Amino acid sequence: MSPSTTRLTVAQALVRFLSAQYTERDGVRHRLIAGTWGIFGHGNVAGIGQALLEHDDVMPYHQGRNEQSMVHAAVGYARQLNRLSAQAVTTSIGPGATNLVTGAALATINRLPVLLLPGDYFATRPADPLLQQLEHPVEADLSVNDTLRPVSRYFDRVTRPEALIPSALNAMRVLADPAETGAVTLALPQDVQAQAYDWPEEFFADRVWLVRRPAPDPVELAEALRAVRAAERPLIVAGGGVHHSEAEDALRALVDATGIPVASTQAGKGSLRHDHPADLGGIGHTGTAVADDLARTADLVIGVGTRYTDFTTASGTLFRQPGVRFLNLNITAFDAHKLAARTVVADARTALEALAEGLAGHRVDAAYEAEYRGGKERWDRVVQAAYRAADEDAVPTQTQVLGALDAVVGDADVVINAAGSLPGDLHKLWRARSPRQYHLEYGYSCMGYEIPAGIGVQQAAPDTVVWSLVGDGTYLMMPTEIVTAVQEGLPVKLVLIQNHGYASIGGLSEAVGGERFGTDYRHRAADGTFSGAPLPVDLAANAASLGMHVLRAKTVRELREALATARASDRPTCVYVETDTAPSAPGAEAWWDVPVAETATREAAVRARETYDRQVADRRRHL
């Protein structure tokens, strides 16, 4: 007997297939592709667009305003749900497709799943070239979608209807695999999207993709246990993998039993609640004094779900103990083997539980615990000083903005940021109260991420208060998704900080001899000099014009009141504040390698190079 079939277009079949895909971990099932973002143009309007209309009962559609920001929204959604559920993004061919590249890179670098469905040229070539098609003189099958290959974990161009079946299955396999996930791209030629085919009914059956929790290899585990027991000054570096694995309880149990302190990367902050005695806060260039001081003298660094990026962990200069060794617990062997480490290639929660069981009765020296607890108390006083405003009626500093927000947020609120000077201040100072409260995208540090990501998080957690923190620089990159928040009635809270320039890169420019060139928003005279007067722009009015309710705050007191009002609001609300631009955060606690001009005529660059040469002498490769 022949198997039953259903005649649908390729696009219709894909949408129906996606609606029947699920993940399952720990016995809990999640919709794998929970919705589709789209901007329609030629290349997807008659294919995927028609299919989404046809199947709107099973596949929610979200209208975006910028292709890159749609990917950011989908990434925020996936991260909030620990990578167990994702969203798709569809675009036209040409600029719609190439606008996906930055978002795809962000997703893949951060190991977060998103499905990209860009339109493509005609597979049958009746029109050649067609509108927006890239022509290559010796590679006729090349299209602009090939720019997505290096930033995708899986890529395929579906040039025949029947080719969709293996391609779609492979796409789901990668999206659901905790060791392989990232951006997945299925490029869809526009004529193929509209082509009909008799699909086997089995293709549309509910399919569950098990999200594995691989256990440690016994030999690796035994070596790891010996290393921890031999260490006198062990330090755990908690990365984003702790959150993705939902391993926070397992980490806390291990720390409670052994007394091993925990420092966190940007992605791992919140792995322990801020007031846990062993939580040292951030590590690396933007880390706390107590975390970085311990890192310099640690004899064993235990990385849990971290990629050891140079900025976040300062891994080439921070770990200075001559005999320091590394033990990495990671679900990917690629990350586990970094820094010539002993490895435990396993799920973070499973590995931490096994480590805790094997270390029963083992605890670090009491003097070591007293040392880091004393350092934590001293740093807490630094945080309090940075948050405190001596004059409630004064213009707030940026750190006082964080202090005002800290006083208003609830334990379950989510705070989102990605770029500028705020990530450094947040990493040093923010007091995370729950595993998902601290949402920093710092794998790619992409300006413009915050607003669309806030929308994605709000979609994933409708009853959660979501704050997107943006400076003026990142706001100007990508504010248009505010319209989407208004359209979908998502009560995202936007804290818009105006300091009239790129504060973070301005500071870096000054440090490396660039003299803050090109980092200020000021009037420029005909001779190229700046007048010092700020530009006559009103970002609050801009946010209001896009549909947000805007609250302006000029003082610390007004700011705190505005934040409380915004938190209680049931509609998209912006709190706008101009800040005192004087530096208010504690200085960097570790060095970050940014090469400086080896020869220059300007004195600032000469001095910066002298400082660089002194610092770079401490750089080492851990072998």
Side-chain angles (χ1 to χ4, degrees), residues 386-387 395-404 417 419-426 429 469-472 497-499 503-504 559 577-585:
Y387 279 2
V395 173
T397 64
Q398 183 162 283
T399 57
Q400 288 167 357
V401 171
L402 300 184
N417 188 240
S421 57
L422 276 167
D425 293 357
L426 286 160
L429 304 174
L469 275 58
V470 298
D472 50 350
I497 300 173
Q498 171 67 279
N499 57 21
S504 175
L559 174 62
V577 58
E578 294 198 36
T579 56
D580 183 337
T581 57
S584 58

PDB file of all heavy atoms in Angstrom, residues 386-387 395-404 417 419-426 429 469-472 497-499 503-504 559 577-585:
ATOM      1  N   ALA A 386      29.083  53.355  44.665  1.00  0.00           N
ATOM      2  CA  ALA A 386      28.802  53.709  43.276  1.00  0.00           C
ATOM      3  C   ALA A 386      27.319  53.969  43.059  1.00  0.00           C
ATOM      4  O   ALA A 386      26.933  54.831  42.254  1.00  0.00           O
ATOM      5  CB  ALA A 386      29.285  52.597  42.354  1.00  0.00           C
ATOM      6  N   TYR A 387      26.477  53.245  43.772  1.00  0.00           N
ATOM      7  CA  TYR A 387      25.027  53.389  43.629  1.00  0.00           C
ATOM      8  C   TYR A 387      24.487  54.623  44.361  1.00  0.00           C
ATOM      9  O   TYR A 387      23.474  55.191  43.978  1.00  0.00           O
ATOM     10  CB  TYR A 387      24.319  52.158  44.197  1.00  0.00           C
ATOM     11  CG  TYR A 387      24.272  50.956  43.275  1.00  0.00           C
ATOM     12  CD1 TYR A 387      24.878  50.965  42.024  1.00  0.00           C
ATOM     13  CD2 TYR A 387      23.609  49.790  43.669  1.00  0.00           C
ATOM     14  CE1 TYR A 387      24.814  49.857  41.199  1.00  0.00           C
ATOM     15  CE2 TYR A 387      23.547  48.675  42.842  1.00  0.00           C
ATOM     16  CZ  TYR A 387      24.144  48.703  41.612  1.00  0.00           C
ATOM     17  OH  TYR A 387      24.082  47.611  40.793  1.00  0.00           O
ATOM     18  N   VAL A 395      21.879  65.694  38.899  1.00  0.00           N
ATOM     19  CA  VAL A 395      21.867  64.866  37.692  1.00  0.00           C
ATOM     20  C   VAL A 395      22.565  63.552  38.009  1.00  0.00           C
ATOM     21  O   VAL A 395      23.674  63.559  38.575  1.00  0.00           O
ATOM     22  CB  VAL A 395      22.581  65.594  36.531  1.00  0.00           C
ATOM     23  CG1 VAL A 395      22.717  64.684  35.323  1.00  0.00           C
ATOM     24  CG2 VAL A 395      21.845  66.872  36.179  1.00  0.00           C
ATOM     25  N   PRO A 396      21.972  62.411  37.690  1.00  0.00           N
ATOM     26  CA  PRO A 396      22.586  61.142  38.086  1.00  0.00           C
ATOM     27  C   PRO A 396      23.783  60.767  37.223  1.00  0.00           C
ATOM     28  O   PRO A 396      23.873  61.136  36.054  1.00  0.00           O
ATOM     29  CB  PRO A 396      21.451  60.128  37.881  1.00  0.00           C
ATOM     30  CG  PRO A 396      20.598  60.731  36.828  1.00  0.00           C
ATOM     31  CD  PRO A 396      20.660  62.216  37.042  1.00  0.00           C
ATOM     32  N   THR A 397      24.710  60.049  37.820  1.00  0.00           N
ATOM     33  CA  THR A 397      25.761  59.393  37.059  1.00  0.00           C
ATOM     34  C   THR A 397      25.197  58.088  36.505  1.00  0.00           C
ATOM     35  O   THR A 397      24.103  57.647  36.898  1.00  0.00           O
ATOM     36  CB  THR A 397      26.966  59.076  37.942  1.00  0.00           C
ATOM     37  OG1 THR A 397      26.560  58.126  38.953  1.00  0.00           O
ATOM     38  CG2 THR A 397      27.506  60.332  38.612  1.00  0.00           C
ATOM     39  N   GLN A 398      25.955  57.455  35.624  1.00  0.00           N
ATOM     40  CA  GLN A 398      25.467  56.192  35.057  1.00  0.00           C
ATOM     41  C   GLN A 398      25.351  55.115  36.125  1.00  0.00           C
ATOM     42  O   GLN A 398      24.390  54.330  36.132  1.00  0.00           O
ATOM     43  CB  GLN A 398      26.389  55.726  33.933  1.00  0.00           C
ATOM     44  CG  GLN A 398      25.890  54.453  33.238  1.00  0.00           C
ATOM     45  CD  GLN A 398      26.539  54.251  31.903  1.00  0.00           C
ATOM     46  OE1 GLN A 398      26.189  54.902  30.927  1.00  0.00           O
ATOM     47  NE2 GLN A 398      27.498  53.347  31.834  1.00  0.00           N
ATOM     48  N   THR A 399      26.301  55.056  37.055  1.00  0.00           N
ATOM     49  CA  THR A 399      26.211  54.041  38.096  1.00  0.00           C
ATOM     50  C   THR A 399      25.057  54.329  39.055  1.00  0.00           C
ATOM     51  O   THR A 399      24.459  53.404  39.608  1.00  0.00           O
ATOM     52  CB  THR A 399      27.530  53.938  38.880  1.00  0.00           C
ATOM     53  OG1 THR A 399      27.863  55.211  39.428  1.00  0.00           O
ATOM     54  CG2 THR A 399      28.652  53.457  37.985  1.00  0.00           C
ATOM     55  N   GLN A 400      24.709  55.589  39.229  1.00  0.00           N
ATOM     56  CA  GLN A 400      23.539  55.913  40.047  1.00  0.00           C
ATOM     57  C   GLN A 400      22.248  55.531  39.338  1.00  0.00           C
ATOM     58  O   GLN A 400      21.252  55.212  39.992  1.00  0.00           O
ATOM     59  CB  GLN A 400      23.548  57.400  40.402  1.00  0.00           C
ATOM     60  CG  GLN A 400      24.625  57.756  41.423  1.00  0.00           C
ATOM     61  CD  GLN A 400      24.862  59.245  41.550  1.00  0.00           C
ATOM     62  OE1 GLN A 400      24.262  60.053  40.830  1.00  0.00           O
ATOM     63  NE2 GLN A 400      25.750  59.647  42.459  1.00  0.00           N
ATOM     64  N   VAL A 401      22.251  55.538  38.012  1.00  0.00           N
ATOM     65  CA  VAL A 401      21.101  55.014  37.260  1.00  0.00           C
ATOM     66  C   VAL A 401      20.917  53.537  37.606  1.00  0.00           C
ATOM     67  O   VAL A 401      19.794  53.075  37.858  1.00  0.00           O
ATOM     68  CB  VAL A 401      21.295  55.200  35.746  1.00  0.00           C
ATOM     69  CG1 VAL A 401      20.198  54.463  34.976  1.00  0.00           C
ATOM     70  CG2 VAL A 401      21.294  56.678  35.380  1.00  0.00           C
ATOM     71  N   LEU A 402      22.013  52.800  37.632  1.00  0.00           N
ATOM     72  CA  LEU A 402      21.926  51.385  37.994  1.00  0.00           C
ATOM     73  C   LEU A 402      21.467  51.215  39.433  1.00  0.00           C
ATOM     74  O   LEU A 402      20.699  50.299  39.746  1.00  0.00           O
ATOM     75  CB  LEU A 402      23.275  50.700  37.781  1.00  0.00           C
ATOM     76  CG  LEU A 402      23.836  50.716  36.356  1.00  0.00           C
ATOM     77  CD1 LEU A 402      25.128  49.918  36.285  1.00  0.00           C
ATOM     78  CD2 LEU A 402      22.822  50.191  35.364  1.00  0.00           C
ATOM     79  N   GLY A 403      21.922  52.097  40.320  1.00  0.00           N
ATOM     80  CA  GLY A 403      21.480  52.031  41.708  1.00  0.00           C
ATOM     81  C   GLY A 403      19.993  52.286  41.843  1.00  0.00           C
ATOM     82  O   GLY A 403      19.304  51.612  42.620  1.00  0.00           O
ATOM     83  N   ALA A 404      19.486  53.259  41.079  1.00  0.00           N
ATOM     84  CA  ALA A 404      18.053  53.548  41.112  1.00  0.00           C
ATOM     85  C   ALA A 404      17.257  52.366  40.579  1.00  0.00           C
ATOM     86  O   ALA A 404      16.192  52.005  41.113  1.00  0.00           O
ATOM     87  CB  ALA A 404      17.755  54.808  40.303  1.00  0.00           C
ATOM     88  N   ASN A 417      21.171  44.117  28.235  1.00  0.00           N
ATOM     89  CA  ASN A 417      22.123  45.071  27.695  1.00  0.00           C
ATOM     90  C   ASN A 417      23.095  44.325  26.800  1.00  0.00           C
ATOM     91  O   ASN A 417      23.140  43.097  26.799  1.00  0.00           O
ATOM     92  CB  ASN A 417      22.867  45.798  28.825  1.00  0.00           C
ATOM     93  CG  ASN A 417      23.721  46.932  28.312  1.00  0.00           C
ATOM     94  OD1 ASN A 417      24.929  46.937  28.496  1.00  0.00           O
ATOM     95  ND2 ASN A 417      23.121  47.894  27.642  1.00  0.00           N
ATOM     96  N   ALA A 419      26.021  46.490  24.747  1.00  0.00           N
ATOM     97  CA  ALA A 419      27.179  47.200  24.223  1.00  0.00           C
ATOM     98  C   ALA A 419      27.315  48.559  24.875  1.00  0.00           C
ATOM     99  O   ALA A 419      26.390  49.062  25.509  1.00  0.00           O
ATOM    100  CB  ALA A 419      27.056  47.356  22.701  1.00  0.00           C
ATOM    101  N   GLY A 420      28.501  49.172  24.679  1.00  0.00           N
ATOM    102  CA  GLY A 420      28.772  50.473  25.250  1.00  0.00           C
ATOM    103  C   GLY A 420      29.464  50.350  26.595  1.00  0.00           C
ATOM    104  O   GLY A 420      30.089  49.339  26.920  1.00  0.00           O
ATOM    105  N   SER A 421      29.315  51.387  27.417  1.00  0.00           N
ATOM    106  CA  SER A 421      29.939  51.367  28.739  1.00  0.00           C
ATOM    107  C   SER A 421      29.089  50.634  29.773  1.00  0.00           C
ATOM    108  O   SER A 421      29.598  50.234  30.826  1.00  0.00           O
ATOM    109  CB  SER A 421      30.192  52.803  29.220  1.00  0.00           C
ATOM    110  OG  SER A 421      28.984  53.546  29.237  1.00  0.00           O
ATOM    111  N   LEU A 422      27.817  50.449  29.485  1.00  0.00           N
ATOM    112  CA  LEU A 422      26.945  49.787  30.457  1.00  0.00           C
ATOM    113  C   LEU A 422      27.360  48.343  30.771  1.00  0.00           C
ATOM    114  O   LEU A 422      27.288  47.933  31.939  1.00  0.00           O
ATOM    115  CB  LEU A 422      25.492  49.810  29.962  1.00  0.00           C
ATOM    116  CG  LEU A 422      24.707  51.084  30.259  1.00  0.00           C
ATOM    117  CD1 LEU A 422      23.413  51.115  29.445  1.00  0.00           C
ATOM    118  CD2 LEU A 422      24.398  51.209  31.740  1.00  0.00           C
ATOM    119  N   PRO A 423      27.788  47.523  29.798  1.00  0.00           N
ATOM    120  CA  PRO A 423      28.159  46.148  30.164  1.00  0.00           C
ATOM    121  C   PRO A 423      29.247  46.080  31.227  1.00  0.00           C
ATOM    122  O   PRO A 423      29.201  45.234  32.118  1.00  0.00           O
ATOM    123  CB  PRO A 423      28.639  45.556  28.833  1.00  0.00           C
ATOM    124  CG  PRO A 423      27.898  46.314  27.799  1.00  0.00           C
ATOM    125  CD  PRO A 423      27.827  47.715  28.336  1.00  0.00           C
ATOM    126  N   GLY A 424      30.239  46.979  31.139  1.00  0.00           N
ATOM    127  CA  GLY A 424      31.292  46.974  32.147  1.00  0.00           C
ATOM    128  C   GLY A 424      30.767  47.350  33.515  1.00  0.00           C
ATOM    129  O   GLY A 424      31.105  46.708  34.526  1.00  0.00           O
ATOM    130  N   ASP A 425      29.935  48.398  33.563  1.00  0.00           N
ATOM    131  CA  ASP A 425      29.369  48.812  34.847  1.00  0.00           C
ATOM    132  C   ASP A 425      28.473  47.728  35.422  1.00  0.00           C
ATOM    133  O   ASP A 425      28.495  47.447  36.637  1.00  0.00           O
ATOM    134  CB  ASP A 425      28.577  50.110  34.674  1.00  0.00           C
ATOM    135  CG  ASP A 425      29.469  51.300  34.326  1.00  0.00           C
ATOM    136  OD1 ASP A 425      30.695  51.117  34.273  1.00  0.00           O
ATOM    137  OD2 ASP A 425      28.926  52.397  34.090  1.00  0.00           O
ATOM    138  N   LEU A 426      27.676  47.105  34.579  1.00  0.00           N
ATOM    139  CA  LEU A 426      26.772  46.058  35.043  1.00  0.00           C
ATOM    140  C   LEU A 426      27.536  44.833  35.536  1.00  0.00           C
ATOM    141  O   LEU A 426      27.202  44.247  36.571  1.00  0.00           O
ATOM    142  CB  LEU A 426      25.813  45.663  33.915  1.00  0.00           C
ATOM    143  CG  LEU A 426      24.694  46.662  33.610  1.00  0.00           C
ATOM    144  CD1 LEU A 426      24.132  46.430  32.208  1.00  0.00           C
ATOM    145  CD2 LEU A 426      23.574  46.557  34.643  1.00  0.00           C
ATOM    146  N   LEU A 429      28.967  45.759  38.903  1.00  0.00           N
ATOM    147  CA  LEU A 429      28.128  46.298  39.973  1.00  0.00           C
ATOM    148  C   LEU A 429      26.763  45.650  40.142  1.00  0.00           C
ATOM    149  O   LEU A 429      26.178  45.727  41.232  1.00  0.00           O
ATOM    150  CB  LEU A 429      27.920  47.810  39.738  1.00  0.00           C
ATOM    151  CG  LEU A 429      29.188  48.660  39.628  1.00  0.00           C
ATOM    152  CD1 LEU A 429      28.819  50.087  39.253  1.00  0.00           C
ATOM    153  CD2 LEU A 429      29.976  48.638  40.939  1.00  0.00           C
ATOM    154  N   LEU A 469      18.203  48.223  28.643  1.00  0.00           N
ATOM    155  CA  LEU A 469      19.045  49.373  28.975  1.00  0.00           C
ATOM    156  C   LEU A 469      19.868  49.751  27.752  1.00  0.00           C
ATOM    157  O   LEU A 469      20.620  48.915  27.227  1.00  0.00           O
ATOM    158  CB  LEU A 469      19.990  49.041  30.129  1.00  0.00           C
ATOM    159  CG  LEU A 469      19.447  49.195  31.563  1.00  0.00           C
ATOM    160  CD1 LEU A 469      18.210  48.349  31.796  1.00  0.00           C
ATOM    161  CD2 LEU A 469      20.541  48.827  32.566  1.00  0.00           C
ATOM    162  N   VAL A 470      19.731  50.991  27.281  1.00  0.00           N
ATOM    163  CA  VAL A 470      20.478  51.416  26.104  1.00  0.00           C
ATOM    164  C   VAL A 470      21.063  52.806  26.311  1.00  0.00           C
ATOM    165  O   VAL A 470      20.449  53.668  26.937  1.00  0.00           O
ATOM    166  CB  VAL A 470      19.600  51.428  24.828  1.00  0.00           C
ATOM    167  CG1 VAL A 470      19.078  50.049  24.512  1.00  0.00           C
ATOM    168  CG2 VAL A 470      18.448  52.398  24.954  1.00  0.00           C
ATOM    169  N   GLY A 471      22.265  52.993  25.787  1.00  0.00           N
ATOM    170  CA  GLY A 471      22.831  54.330  25.694  1.00  0.00           C
ATOM    171  C   GLY A 471      22.392  54.978  24.401  1.00  0.00           C
ATOM    172  O   GLY A 471      21.778  54.332  23.539  1.00  0.00           O
ATOM    173  N   ASP A 472      22.727  56.242  24.239  1.00  0.00           N
ATOM    174  CA  ASP A 472      22.305  56.944  23.039  1.00  0.00           C
ATOM    175  C   ASP A 472      22.921  56.335  21.777  1.00  0.00           C
ATOM    176  O   ASP A 472      22.275  56.264  20.725  1.00  0.00           O
ATOM    177  CB  ASP A 472      22.637  58.438  23.134  1.00  0.00           C
ATOM    178  CG  ASP A 472      24.077  58.710  23.548  1.00  0.00           C
ATOM    179  OD1 ASP A 472      24.773  57.759  23.937  1.00  0.00           O
ATOM    180  OD2 ASP A 472      24.500  59.876  23.502  1.00  0.00           O
ATOM    181  N   ILE A 497      19.650  56.131  28.193  1.00  0.00           N
ATOM    182  CA  ILE A 497      20.638  56.976  28.858  1.00  0.00           C
ATOM    183  C   ILE A 497      21.352  57.827  27.817  1.00  0.00           C
ATOM    184  O   ILE A 497      21.978  57.297  26.899  1.00  0.00           O
ATOM    185  CB  ILE A 497      21.652  56.114  29.635  1.00  0.00           C
ATOM    186  CG1 ILE A 497      20.923  55.284  30.707  1.00  0.00           C
ATOM    187  CG2 ILE A 497      22.724  56.979  30.268  1.00  0.00           C
ATOM    188  CD1 ILE A 497      21.808  54.286  31.415  1.00  0.00           C
ATOM    189  N   GLN A 498      21.263  59.125  27.972  1.00  0.00           N
ATOM    190  CA  GLN A 498      21.856  60.070  27.025  1.00  0.00           C
ATOM    191  C   GLN A 498      23.134  60.661  27.618  1.00  0.00           C
ATOM    192  O   GLN A 498      23.094  61.353  28.629  1.00  0.00           O
ATOM    193  CB  GLN A 498      20.849  61.181  26.718  1.00  0.00           C
ATOM    194  CG  GLN A 498      21.372  62.356  25.916  1.00  0.00           C
ATOM    195  CD  GLN A 498      21.746  61.993  24.493  1.00  0.00           C
ATOM    196  OE1 GLN A 498      22.824  61.471  24.263  1.00  0.00           O
ATOM    197  NE2 GLN A 498      20.847  62.292  23.562  1.00  0.00           N
ATOM    198  N   ASN A 499      24.267  60.332  27.000  1.00  0.00           N
ATOM    199  CA  ASN A 499      25.524  60.959  27.429  1.00  0.00           C
ATOM    200  C   ASN A 499      26.269  61.580  26.249  1.00  0.00           C
ATOM    201  O   ASN A 499      27.461  61.880  26.349  1.00  0.00           O
ATOM    202  CB  ASN A 499      26.419  59.975  28.197  1.00  0.00           C
ATOM    203  CG  ASN A 499      26.731  58.725  27.388  1.00  0.00           C
ATOM    204  OD1 ASN A 499      26.638  58.716  26.170  1.00  0.00           O
ATOM    205  ND2 ASN A 499      27.108  57.669  28.088  1.00  0.00           N
ATOM    206  N   ALA A 503      30.506  56.418  24.967  1.00  0.00           N
ATOM    207  CA  ALA A 503      31.289  56.543  26.197  1.00  0.00           C
ATOM    208  C   ALA A 503      32.339  55.446  26.316  1.00  0.00           C
ATOM    209  O   ALA A 503      33.489  55.704  26.676  1.00  0.00           O
ATOM    210  CB  ALA A 503      30.359  56.523  27.403  1.00  0.00           C
ATOM    211  N   SER A 504      31.963  54.218  25.993  1.00  0.00           N
ATOM    212  CA  SER A 504      32.884  53.107  26.169  1.00  0.00           C
ATOM    213  C   SER A 504      34.050  53.194  25.192  1.00  0.00           C
ATOM    214  O   SER A 504      35.222  53.152  25.589  1.00  0.00           O
ATOM    215  CB  SER A 504      32.149  51.775  25.976  1.00  0.00           C
ATOM    216  OG  SER A 504      33.047  50.693  26.026  1.00  0.00           O
ATOM    217  N   LEU A 559      14.284  60.126  38.636  1.00  0.00           N
ATOM    218  CA  LEU A 559      14.601  58.868  37.974  1.00  0.00           C
ATOM    219  C   LEU A 559      13.994  57.689  38.722  1.00  0.00           C
ATOM    220  O   LEU A 559      13.352  56.814  38.126  1.00  0.00           O
ATOM    221  CB  LEU A 559      16.119  58.698  37.875  1.00  0.00           C
ATOM    222  CG  LEU A 559      16.612  57.357  37.326  1.00  0.00           C
ATOM    223  CD1 LEU A 559      16.138  57.134  35.893  1.00  0.00           C
ATOM    224  CD2 LEU A 559      18.137  57.274  37.420  1.00  0.00           C
ATOM    225  N   VAL A 577      16.844  59.644  30.513  1.00  0.00           N
ATOM    226  CA  VAL A 577      17.619  60.403  31.483  1.00  0.00           C
ATOM    227  C   VAL A 577      18.958  60.808  30.876  1.00  0.00           C
ATOM    228  O   VAL A 577      19.626  60.009  30.225  1.00  0.00           O
ATOM    229  CB  VAL A 577      17.841  59.590  32.781  1.00  0.00           C
ATOM    230  CG1 VAL A 577      18.555  58.277  32.510  1.00  0.00           C
ATOM    231  CG2 VAL A 577      18.587  60.408  33.823  1.00  0.00           C
ATOM    232  N   GLU A 578      19.315  62.067  31.044  1.00  0.00           N
ATOM    233  CA  GLU A 578      20.657  62.530  30.686  1.00  0.00           C
ATOM    234  C   GLU A 578      21.529  62.399  31.921  1.00  0.00           C
ATOM    235  O   GLU A 578      21.133  62.780  33.025  1.00  0.00           O
ATOM    236  CB  GLU A 578      20.625  63.968  30.192  1.00  0.00           C
ATOM    237  CG  GLU A 578      19.871  64.141  28.882  1.00  0.00           C
ATOM    238  CD  GLU A 578      20.208  65.458  28.193  1.00  0.00           C
ATOM    239  OE1 GLU A 578      21.374  65.878  28.276  1.00  0.00           O
ATOM    240  OE2 GLU A 578      19.303  66.036  27.577  1.00  0.00           O
ATOM    241  N   THR A 579      22.740  61.860  31.734  1.00  0.00           N
ATOM    242  CA  THR A 579      23.594  61.572  32.875  1.00  0.00           C
ATOM    243  C   THR A 579      24.807  62.503  32.931  1.00  0.00           C
ATOM    244  O   THR A 579      25.239  63.060  31.923  1.00  0.00           O
ATOM    245  CB  THR A 579      24.109  60.120  32.815  1.00  0.00           C
ATOM    246  OG1 THR A 579      24.775  59.910  31.573  1.00  0.00           O
ATOM    247  CG2 THR A 579      22.964  59.137  32.960  1.00  0.00           C
ATOM    248  N   ASP A 580      25.325  62.629  34.129  1.00  0.00           N
ATOM    249  CA  ASP A 580      26.608  63.280  34.342  1.00  0.00           C
ATOM    250  C   ASP A 580      27.662  62.398  33.681  1.00  0.00           C
ATOM    251  O   ASP A 580      27.764  61.205  33.964  1.00  0.00           O
ATOM    252  CB  ASP A 580      26.857  63.394  35.848  1.00  0.00           C
ATOM    253  CG  ASP A 580      28.146  64.126  36.187  1.00  0.00           C
ATOM    254  OD1 ASP A 580      29.050  64.162  35.334  1.00  0.00           O
ATOM    255  OD2 ASP A 580      28.252  64.640  37.317  1.00  0.00           O
ATOM    256  N   THR A 581      28.442  62.960  32.778  1.00  0.00           N
ATOM    257  CA  THR A 581      29.383  62.150  32.010  1.00  0.00           C
ATOM    258  C   THR A 581      30.694  61.878  32.731  1.00  0.00           C
ATOM    259  O   THR A 581      31.554  61.163  32.199  1.00  0.00           O
ATOM    260  CB  THR A 581      29.691  62.831  30.666  1.00  0.00           C
ATOM    261  OG1 THR A 581      30.209  64.138  30.915  1.00  0.00           O
ATOM    262  CG2 THR A 581      28.431  62.936  29.813  1.00  0.00           C
ATOM    263  N   ALA A 582      30.881  62.408  33.909  1.00  0.00           N
ATOM    264  CA  ALA A 582      32.104  62.119  34.663  1.00  0.00           C
ATOM    265  C   ALA A 582      32.151  60.634  35.010  1.00  0.00           C
ATOM    266  O   ALA A 582      31.131  60.042  35.385  1.00  0.00           O
ATOM    267  CB  ALA A 582      32.148  62.953  35.934  1.00  0.00           C
ATOM    268  N   PRO A 583      33.321  59.992  34.883  1.00  0.00           N
ATOM    269  CA  PRO A 583      33.418  58.564  35.218  1.00  0.00           C
ATOM    270  C   PRO A 583      32.969  58.301  36.648  1.00  0.00           C
ATOM    271  O   PRO A 583      33.342  59.023  37.573  1.00  0.00           O
ATOM    272  CB  PRO A 583      34.911  58.265  35.034  1.00  0.00           C
ATOM    273  CG  PRO A 583      35.406  59.317  34.099  1.00  0.00           C
ATOM    274  CD  PRO A 583      34.606  60.553  34.422  1.00  0.00           C
ATOM    275  N   SER A 584      32.154  57.263  36.817  1.00  0.00           N
ATOM    276  CA  SER A 584      31.626  56.973  38.152  1.00  0.00           C
ATOM    277  C   SER A 584      31.806  55.519  38.554  1.00  0.00           C
ATOM    278  O   SER A 584      31.553  55.167  39.706  1.00  0.00           O
ATOM    279  CB  SER A 584      30.138  57.331  38.214  1.00  0.00           C
ATOM    280  OG  SER A 584      29.397  56.619  37.227  1.00  0.00           O
ATOM    281  N   ALA A 585      32.219  54.679  37.624  1.00  0.00           N
ATOM    282  CA  ALA A 585      32.391  53.261  37.933  1.00  0.00           C
ATOM    283  C   ALA A 585      33.812  52.974  38.375  1.00  0.00           C
ATOM    284  O   ALA A 585      34.743  53.699  38.006  1.00  0.00           O
ATOM    285  CB  ALA A 585      32.051  52.416  36.705  1.00  0.00           C
TER     286      ALA A 585
END
